Amino acid sequence: MIDIQTIATSGLGDRSYLVTDGEVAVVIDPQRDIDRVLDLAADLGVTVALVAETHIHNDYVTGGLDLAQRTGAAYLVSAADEVGFDRTPVADGDEVTAGAMRLRAIATPGHTHHHLSYALLDTTADAGGDTGGEVVAVFTGGSMLYGTTGRTDLVSPEDTVALTHAQFHSVRRLVDELPAKAAVYPTHGFGSFCAGTPASGADGSTVGQEASSNPALTQDEQDYVDALIAGLGAFPTYYARMGPANTAGPDPVDLSTPEPVDPAELRRRLEAGQWVVDLRARTAFAAGHLPGSLGYELSTPFVTYFGWTFDFDAELTLIGDDAQQVADAQRELVRIGVDRLAGAATGPIESLAAGQGLRSYPVSDFVGLAAARAQRGQGGLFVVDARRDEERAAGGVEGSVHIPLHELPARRGEVPDGEVWVYCGSGYRASIAASMLDRPGRDLVLINDDWPRAADAGLPMTDHHASTGS
């Protein structure tokens, strides 16, 4: 019996898969930290025989090469991709067998030019009595997702229209060639910016279910193309580094403990303007933090927004509550190729201050903003909206200045001294923005609140599709 295990990476909104017949395993699109795969294989008592990539990934550094080299597994990568390492090249229609499983490569361009999906065939005789194999699932990478498809603008702006048309036909090909009951297992679509439009939120689907709900299958071609392209917003800038890293062949992952940094050295690094990132909860950071440090709370969105705003040429020092928090952040960071840590400091923030004063700012909500504006007037304070363009297009707080978080490092000069309130969709991005803006002479207030409550608080809103100061 074929068993499919999901290995979720919630911080990036992706999934990898380990498929086994009870003796050998096939791994699809593994993340950089392959110890999770190796541990699962060991727990199941199976040997990894095949590692398969659906495409050269744009949102994370793959662990496929490292996993294949450590296990001796064949490494399946599209024959059309020019890569800097040995692999087993596969093309449309090729089949590779491992135990009672067979993978059939299906060319599904769209997310990338050479994207492949893999139909999983169960070749045991009891799979319908056909020893040739029954298709029981399809691993669709960034092609068919749950209720949507992968975005098509990551290769280049010049290729986007052609790739969007290709994506339409690729998804239709999967439905035409595969049985309706075949389960669908995408890599993207669980929060990843690699999804073209928001996914359905389903935890599973079949080819037949997608046929009745996926826009590539319910719209005509031009309507699908127009809608997908119109919905494409900004994507993390670190994506530009992932494709080249994966094409060249990533180095094996290194999760060794970073060097400890004492308070005196920590202060020296801060005074030198180095990247010192505080992983603690955003409310704890607001209550007290080292001057010059940046607050990136270690929670689900951490690695995406960190990678979007980090200077990859900079030295990075982490501050955490404890060693485990630092280790968890390090695991997230290596997934996007942040391999060099200059060190880490842990413990109570007061002990790390070593006598220097801490900075702090208050935390409020949208009700608090409404009260402050009523007391001091709209012009008495400056409000920053740190959400993305597509969020702002649906409306914002009237009079607020729209500076998406990923643009803030280059636009900090637009924010004056004085009283500054910062909001986003949940408080997470606003907390990062506030830490970037924190300096003497500026009285910050972090709005740690969910966006829908802004209207409930009675704040006046801009019209839909309007933007102030952007």
Side-chain angles (χ1 to χ4, degrees), residues 209-336:
Q209 288 171 328
E210 291 303 312
S212 62
S213 62
N214 197 294
L217 299 159
T218 59
Q219 298 176 344
D220 66 33
E221 183 170 354
Q222 195 58 50
D223 286 343
Y224 163 81
V225 169
D226 292 343
L228 181 64
I229 292 176
L232 293 172
F235 56 85
T237 52
Y238 76 84
Y239 278 22
R241 306 175 65 92
M242 301 298 98
N246 289 325
T247 299
D251 292 331
V253 69
D254 180 4
L255 290 171
S256 56
T257 303
E259 291 292 324
V261 178
D262 63 32
E265 174 61 14
L266 194 60
R267 182 170 187 172
R268 186 196 70 78
R269 295 181 184 188
L270 285 163
E271 291 175 347
Q274 294 186 16
W275 272 75
V276 177
V277 168
D278 191 326
L279 303 168
R280 297 175 302 138
R282 54 187 180 262
T283 52
F285 182 91
H289 55 271
L290 300 181
S293 62
L294 296 171
Y296 284 81
E297 176 183 292
L298 183 61
S299 58
T300 298
F302 164 74
V303 70
T304 295
Y305 288 105
F306 181 86
W308 208 332
T309 51
F310 178 56
D311 176 1
F312 274 74
D313 294 324
E315 290 194 337
L316 172 63
T317 303
L318 299 179
I319 293 175
D321 286 318
D322 50 41
Q324 187 58 57
Q325 189 177 52
V326 170
D328 291 344
Q330 183 180 11
R331 180 177 291 272
E332 297 273 5
L333 292 170
V334 298
R335 292 170 179 159
I336 62 168

Side-chain angles (χ1 to χ4, degrees), residues 328-398:
D328 291 344
Q330 183 180 11
R331 180 177 291 272
E332 297 273 5
L333 292 170
V334 298
R335 292 170 179 159
I336 62 168
V338 181
D339 294 337
R340 296 185 299 108
L341 290 181
T346 59
I349 197 65
E350 294 79 9
S351 66
L352 298 180
Q356 68 174 316
L358 297 176
R359 287 191 58 79
S360 64
Y361 45 77
V363 177
S364 188
D365 53 20
F366 286 112
V367 170
L369 174 60
R373 288 178 59 144
Q375 182 181 28
R376 291 187 283 286
Q378 183 170 305
L381 44 86
F382 191 90
V383 181
V384 175
D385 178 350
R387 298 174 302 154
R388 299 188 305 277
D389 288 347
E390 59 269 30
E391 296 170 284
R392 178 70 179 198
V397 173
E398 188 176 281

Side-chain angles (χ1 to χ4, degrees), residues 7-82:
I7 304 171
T9 304
S10 58
L12 290 172
D14 292 326
R15 290 181 177 180
S16 306
Y17 301 97
L18 184 148
V19 191
T20 178
D21 63 357
E23 295 184 2
V24 298
V26 174
V27 179
I28 311 291
D29 289 344
Q31 290 270 341
R32 183 89 178 279
D33 49 328
I34 63 171
D35 56 329
R36 295 186 295 164
V37 179
L38 295 170
D39 289 346
L40 179 57
D43 289 343
L44 296 173
V46 297
T47 300
V48 177
L50 293 177
V51 179
E53 301 282 12
T54 57
H55 60 293
I56 301 296
H57 302 284
N58 286 289
D59 65 331
Y60 65 87
V61 178
T62 181
L65 179 61
D66 190 14
L67 180 61
Q69 290 177 339
R70 289 205 206 184
T71 61
Y75 187 31
L76 310 184
V77 178
S78 172
D81 283 318
E82 296 182 5

